[in-house]
Amino acid sequence: MFSLEVYAKSTIKKLLKTALEPVGTTMYVWGGGWGKIAASSKYTTRIGVSPAWKKFYKKQKKNYDYTKTRFQIADGLDCSGYAGWCIYNIMNTVSGKRGYVMPAKNMAYNYAKRGWGEYTEMSKVKNFRAGDIMSSSGHVYIVVGQCGDGSVVLLHSSPPGVQISGTETPSGNRNSQAGKLANQYMKKYFPKWYKEFGNDIKDRTYLTEYNRMRWDISGKSVMFDPDGYRNKTAEQILEDIFK
């Protein structure tokens, strides 16, 4: 078990607002933020968004090919780099301490082992709540919230970059509430990105093939939820964050 004493206290709302900071201005780069480096990479243990990410983004067009930018670690973020950067920024106030980046498949389990929350294997995941860290062998994402039809709005770095996405419904319906919400918010608040890259629906494997770390909000660990996000829908959470 990791010591809790080294961690700052945070809230679910702060996590989601922090995770939104690079949205629409940061490209997906394979290995971005860390490459083959350990958790303490300077790119993912910095406070705030790196100016280099936006600078690189401004040079890209709709035909951006992430396979040609592999390991340009200063130019953008991959899924693990993004999630680790988000966690670092809610846990610290200065740059350069030890970070939280690792292979995506390890993140939910590792974070739970630190005492931050409860780990649930993918076969037992039945619902999704704000702030949940969802990790699999190839990807990691942060839950914004679940919709009435079972679809999920999420934040992640996935080609072409850091974005708000929505999943299909559990039955595979692509005309999902989460998809509509993600599309609506990307179009309204990140219009330049949306015009260039659009927004696609994520398939239902996002609901079935990921292990989960759900934050302990009891006050005994690092996270609180004074805004009641854990009990809100994705639509309610997005309205509150962007108001």
Side-chain angles (χ1 to χ4, degrees):
M1 183 68 69
F2 295 79
S3 169
L4 295 179
E5 296 178 1
V6 299
Y7 305 123
K9 299 286 186 177
S10 193
T11 69
I12 299 293
K13 184 174 183 177
K14 182 179 179 182
L15 170 62
L16 297 183
K17 286 180 71 72
T18 298
L20 280 164
E21 290 179 15
V23 169
T25 58
T26 304
M27 304 307 296
Y28 178 89
V29 174
W30 185 290
W34 63 301
K36 299 177 182 178
I37 304 172
S40 54
S41 163
K42 66 180 181 180
Y43 303 107
T44 53
T45 59
R46 60 164 288 124
I47 297 298
V49 173
S50 170
W53 301 342
K54 191 168 187 177
K55 182 178 180 181
F56 183 71
Y57 152 70
K58 287 182 176 180
K59 297 177 182 178
Q60 309 311 316
K61 299 297 180 183
K62 65 178 64 178
N63 62 349
Y64 174 72
D65 184 355
Y66 74 92
T67 66
K68 296 180 180 179
T69 63
R70 293 168 63 93
F71 297 114
Q72 293 179 201
I73 63 174
D75 290 334
L77 294 168
D78 67 7
C79 62
S80 298
Y82 169 64
W85 176 87
C86 292
I87 299 300
Y88 187 87
N89 272 258
I90 66 167
M91 297 290 184
N92 296 277
T93 56
V94 297
S95 302
K97 294 184 178 181
R98 184 163 179 79
Y100 310 102
V101 180
M102 63 200 70
K105 65 180 180 180
N106 299 334
M107 296 184 102
Y109 182 78
N110 181 282
Y111 293 170
K113 276 295 187 181
R114 294 170 186 262
W116 294 351
E118 181 182 14
Y119 176 77
T120 303
E121 293 183 356
M122 63 181 71
S123 63
K124 297 180 181 179
V125 172
K126 304 301 180 185
N127 55 54
F128 301 82
R129 296 291 180 265
D132 287 352
I133 305 296
M134 309 299 300
S135 71
S136 71
S137 59
H139 196 45
V140 59
Y141 69 85
I142 302 170
V143 173
V144 174
Q146 191 162 24
C147 298
D149 63 0
S151 59
V152 169
V153 177
L154 58 108
L155 288 157
H156 63 157
S157 184
S158 181
V162 181
Q163 58 196 288
I164 306 169
S165 293
T167 71
E168 300 175 335
T169 67
S171 64
N173 184 353
R174 294 182 63 80
N175 188 32
S176 67
Q177 293 173 2
K180 292 175 182 177
L181 280 170
N183 195 62
Q184 172 189 336
Y185 278 85
M186 287 300 295
K187 185 176 183 179
K188 181 176 182 178
Y189 293 99
F190 310 97
K192 184 178 178 182
W193 175 280
Y194 183 83
K195 183 178 180 180
E196 199 73 56
F197 302 111
N199 193 252
D200 64 335
I201 304 298
K202 301 305 176 183
D203 65 45
R204 58 183 173 177
T205 62
Y206 275 65
L207 307 177
T208 60
E209 303 298 322
Y210 286 76
N211 301 311
R212 183 184 71 201
M213 194 285 290
R214 176 165 291 173
W215 299 94
D216 177 355
I217 57 171
S218 68
K220 298 178 181 179
S221 187
V222 298
M223 191 66 76
F224 296 93
D225 185 26
D227 308 282
Y229 276 19
R230 183 69 65 79
N231 297 316
K232 294 182 184 294
T233 65
E235 183 174 16
Q236 291 171 328
I237 291 165
L238 288 167
E239 285 179 355
D240 185 69
I241 288 177
F242 282 94
K243 68 182 179 183

